[in-house]
Amino acid sequence: MKRYIIAIAFVSLIIFISGCTGDSNKTNETKTYSQNNISFEYPASWSIATNRAPNATVSVADPKSIDSRTGYASTVFTIQKIAIPSGSNLNSVYNENYAVMFNNTSYQRIFEGNTSVNGENLYENRYYVTENGVQKEQRALWLQRDRNIYVILMSALATDFEKEKPLFDVILNSLRIQG
């Protein structure tokens, strides 16, 4: 009788482990984007998206998050490239941007500080934005390459942002921007 219990426990463990492994492999599948001196991996279920942001170089989005009213995805990862104006620097452009942005009542700051991604120090700003009655959470990371600023923008419904964070991290952890 004891052998049967051990055998059943062993078979149950194998079924449990194989079930977990099968699901995790699907979430780890990725595609690669490599253009305009930017490369990264992104979830295989996502697509290259239409860029709505000013100065957007590339956007990838989860097609399952498309809003039927607007036709746009709510879960989006975008990289913007901005030439630094003469007499300005990363810090001044960053500060000017958010001084204007947070004067608009549609934006509410959650966090501002510095962070590190792939060993590089970046400016970080997290905030809520309400558009057409829908609240989104956005995380913007700012870095400089030569005379250009790159803004890495992650956006999702406020209720879904933490759930989407591991997918955003797949992209961030593989992101490479050449000067």
Side-chain angles (χ1 to χ4, degrees), residues 80-151:
Q80 298 166 282
K81 181 180 177 182
I82 305 160
I84 299 175
S86 179
S88 296
N89 60 36
L90 173 63
N91 190 52
S92 66
V93 173
Y94 174 89
N95 288 330
E96 289 170 20
N97 179 76
Y98 290 111
V100 171
M101 182 182 284
F102 291 120
N103 275 332
N104 181 334
T105 58
S106 295
Y107 292 86
Q108 178 188 356
R109 183 172 304 182
I110 301 169
F111 172 81
E112 180 178 33
N114 297 308
T115 191
S116 179
V117 175
N118 298 328
E120 184 164 10
N121 292 324
L122 310 171
Y123 291 168
E124 178 177 9
N125 209 310
R126 286 181 72 163
Y127 50 90
Y128 294 119
V129 60
T130 303
E131 297 174 332
N132 302 319
V134 176
Q135 187 178 53
K136 295 180 185 177
E137 183 172 335
Q138 297 188 335
R139 179 182 184 206
L141 303 175
W142 291 58
L143 67 105
Q144 181 175 341
R145 289 282 188 280
D146 299 325
R147 293 292 302 157
N148 294 303
I149 295 171
Y150 290 87
V151 180

Side-chain angles (χ1 to χ4, degrees), residues 46 65 73-78 129 131 136-139 153-157 161 164 168:
W46 288 27
S65 72
S74 58
T75 302
V76 183
F77 185 101
T78 299
V129 60
E131 297 174 332
K136 295 180 185 177
E137 183 172 335
Q138 297 188 335
R139 179 182 184 206
L153 183 64
M154 293 150 273
S155 181
L157 294 175
F161 193 89
E164 300 294 348
F168 290 142

Side-chain angles (χ1 to χ4, degrees), residues 63-74:
K64 291 182 282 186
S65 72
I66 291 176
D67 183 327
S68 60
R69 294 172 297 155
T70 65
Y72 291 106
S74 58

